[in-house]
Amino acid sequence: GILKPDPRAYAAVTSALGVAAADCVFVDDQARNVAGAERAGMRSVHFDVMAPAASYREALRLLGIAQESMSP
């Protein structure tokens, strides 16, 4: 019953997963949800549906995953 960008939505997820918000990377195509995640302390990627590869690369970068290490 709680929707993004309500701060309780992000808190519910981090609580359920047992992780800190700072250890999360939130990806969404809605700027308001990305802003909400950032206010909650998450690193975020505003997913651009017109440039999905760039958004994907940014998410991998924030996760500390080198794209070269990914299988084709």
Side-chain angles (χ1 to χ4, degrees):
I2 301 170
L3 300 174
K4 302 169 293 191
D6 186 318
R8 295 174 297 169
Y10 307 98
V13 171
T14 57
S15 177
L17 294 174
V19 298
D23 293 332
C24 297
V25 174
F26 178 83
V27 179
D28 200 297
D29 65 339
Q30 298 291 314
R32 67 179 181 212
N33 295 336
V34 170
E38 289 172 352
R39 284 190 300 274
M42 295 178 175
R43 296 170 291 156
S44 301
V45 175
H46 184 197
F47 191 85
D48 183 349
V49 297
M50 300 303 289
S55 299
Y56 180 68
R57 279 192 303 275
E58 178 62 7
L60 290 178
R61 185 188 71 75
L62 291 173
L63 289 166
I65 300 171
Q67 197 164 13
E68 305 82 50
S69 68
M70 301 295 294
S71 301

